[in-house]
């Protein structure tokens, strides 16, 4: 696997690749990321992964400094699955004019995550646009675990006329149904035993066995400390208008915030 650290090397990889699929990540790779990589390897001649812990998508007081960084282990996993190249940009490579987010995708980025983490999607859209600009991929893959993020990136690609195919890949869950996330590393044993109930409650809501209020009540009773939202929304706008086909939740266990989602009637 080539480890790329400059734009010149990236340009050379692009020139040499008839088709290129790109998987942007923040590292601390788990099976969820590897499922994106497997799909990238199927879709194109070359699969390129980036690892960049993006400062503009963290608000002051969030976990930027403590975000898990496991580069040696990440490299080993990527080599094992046969990725051709890994790009490790620096903060200066991405934010040469200062660490500022300058892309706002109106509408889709405003409800739910947009309400609770107002800086988040501007940071994500900005970094993804800059990564795309450097890599010039044919396709880019993102997990459905971050479902609203996936829709924000699809809308950005459409509105900014980026000729990049944005592909969503289904959420990978552990044997207890917990959606894989790098932040699961923060959970204590007791918190884990509570966290694995989240997908079960969401499934009941998705089946229509309980309503939103009952789902929130149930989550608090199980032991979640706080619920930012647990709701059924339009899967493109995240409003309560039109077809409500996606269940989405963000909940807290101690200092760990977990998100999950699924289509209704699963
Ligand atoms: O989903 C993530 O890991 C990040 O938000 C992304 C898309 C790599 C942008 O930093």
């Amino acid at each position: 696997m080539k480890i790329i650290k400059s734009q010149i090397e990236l340009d050379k990889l692009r020139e040499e690749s008839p088709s290129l699929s790109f998987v942007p990540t923040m590292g601390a790779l788990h099976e969820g990321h590897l499922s994106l990589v497997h799909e990238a390897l199927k879709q194109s001649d070359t699969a390129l992964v980036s690892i960049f812990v993006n400062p503009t998508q963290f608000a002051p007081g969030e976990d930027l400094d403590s975000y898990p960084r496991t580069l040696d282990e990440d490299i080993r996993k990527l080599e094992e699955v046969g990725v051709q190249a890994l790009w490790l940009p620096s903060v200066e490579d991405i934010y040469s004019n200062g660490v500022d987010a300058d892309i706002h995708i109106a509408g889709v980025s405003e409800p739910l995550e947009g309400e609770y983490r107002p800086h988040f999607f501007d940071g994500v859209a900005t970094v993804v646009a800059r990564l795309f600009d450097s890599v010039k991929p044919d396709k880019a893959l993102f997990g459905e675990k971050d479902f609203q993020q996936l829709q924000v990136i699809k809308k950005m690609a459409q509105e900014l006329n980026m000729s990049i195919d944005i592909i969503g890949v289904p959420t990978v869950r552990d044997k207890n149904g917990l959606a894989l996330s790098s932040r699961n590393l923060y959970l204590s044993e007791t918190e884990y035993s509570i966290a694995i109930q989240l997908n079960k409650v969401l499934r009941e809501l998705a089946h229509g066995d309980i309503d939103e209020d009952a789902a929130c009540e149930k989550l608090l009773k199980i032991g979640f400390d706080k619920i930012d939202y647990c709701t059924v929304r339009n899967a493109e706008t995240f409003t309560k208008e039109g077809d409500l086909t996606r269940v989405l939740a963000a909940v807290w266990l101690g200092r760990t915030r977990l998100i999950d989602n699924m289509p209704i009637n699963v």
Side-chain angles (χ1 to χ4, degrees):
M1 181 173 73
K2 275 184 207 143
I3 299 198
I4 292 181
K5 291 197 174 163
S6 72
Q7 186 62 47
I8 295 172
E9 293 168 283
L10 261 187
D11 291 344
K12 186 158 179 287
L13 180 82
R14 179 62 274 201
E15 255 173 54
E16 290 169 357
S17 308
S19 62
L20 190 148
S21 281
F22 178 41
V23 181
T25 80
M26 299 208 299
L29 303 181
H30 49 64
E31 283 303 320
H33 297 109
L34 298 183
S35 75
L36 303 179
V37 171
H38 284 300
E39 193 53 40
L41 286 163
K42 271 194 232 156
Q43 297 269 346
S44 297
D45 305 292
T46 301
L48 168 71
V49 174
S50 65
I51 296 180
F52 178 66
V53 182
N54 172 36
T56 64
Q57 67 191 77
F58 293 81
E62 286 190 346
D63 56 345
L64 172 62
D65 293 336
S66 59
Y67 195 83
R69 287 159 171 90
T70 56
L71 185 59
D72 292 343
E73 188 62 2
D74 292 349
I75 290 176
R76 191 189 59 69
K77 288 178 183 168
L78 293 174
E79 277 176 338
E80 215 169 86
V81 293
V83 169
Q84 288 87 354
L86 168 64
W87 177 34
L88 299 172
S90 66
V91 172
E92 295 69 39
D93 291 333
I94 304 294
Y95 295 108
S96 52
N97 294 323
V99 181
D100 232 345
D102 56 12
I103 299 187
H104 177 72
I105 305 299
V108 61
S109 75
E110 286 157 7
L112 303 184
E113 286 302 287
E115 249 168 71
Y116 287 90
R117 303 183 70 198
H119 57 284
F120 177 67
F121 285 128
D122 291 1
V124 168
T126 301
V127 77
V128 170
R130 291 180 187 198
L131 295 169
F132 282 177
D133 193 45
S134 291
V135 173
K136 299 178 179 57
D138 300 301
K139 301 181 181 190
L141 297 96
F142 296 86
E144 286 185 357
K145 153 86 174 26
D146 297 288
F147 192 75
Q148 195 177 357
Q149 168 176 279
L150 170 65
Q151 301 297 58
V152 168
I153 293 167
K154 280 188 177 167
K155 181 140 184 252
M156 175 179 76
Q158 193 189 352
E159 286 192 352
L160 302 183
N161 287 324
M162 297 169 159
S163 48
I164 300 169
D165 196 3
I166 307 298
I167 299 171
V169 176
T171 302
V172 178
R173 297 177 182 279
D174 73 7
K175 64 177 192 314
N176 294 310
L178 179 65
L180 298 190
S181 160
S182 306
R183 289 189 171 98
N184 293 351
L185 293 170
Y186 299 151
L187 297 172
S188 69
E189 229 172 274
T190 316
E191 286 172 338
Y192 177 80
S193 68
I194 298 168
I196 59 177
Q197 307 295 320
L198 175 60
N199 77 93
K200 297 183 177 77
V201 175
L202 292 192
R203 197 149 281 138
E204 287 179 58
L205 181 55
H207 277 148
D209 298 340
I210 54 176
D211 65 13
E212 286 180 6
D213 289 343
C216 289
E217 235 170 79
K218 205 161 181 178
L219 289 168
L220 291 172
K221 211 161 159 201
I222 286 166
F224 288 96
D225 294 308
K226 193 164 70 123
I227 297 163
D228 283 350
Y229 56 83
C230 177
T231 183
V232 190
R233 294 288 170 112
N234 181 305
E236 280 173 14
T237 60
F238 301 97
T239 63
K240 279 284 194 189
E241 276 152 37
D243 289 340
L244 307 184
T245 59
R246 201 91 191 175
V247 168
L248 303 111
V251 295
W252 287 88
L253 263 176
R255 66 184 186 101
T256 308
R257 187 173 186 270
L258 300 175
I259 60 169
D260 199 355
N261 72 88
M262 59 185 65
I264 60 162
N265 296 324
V266 285

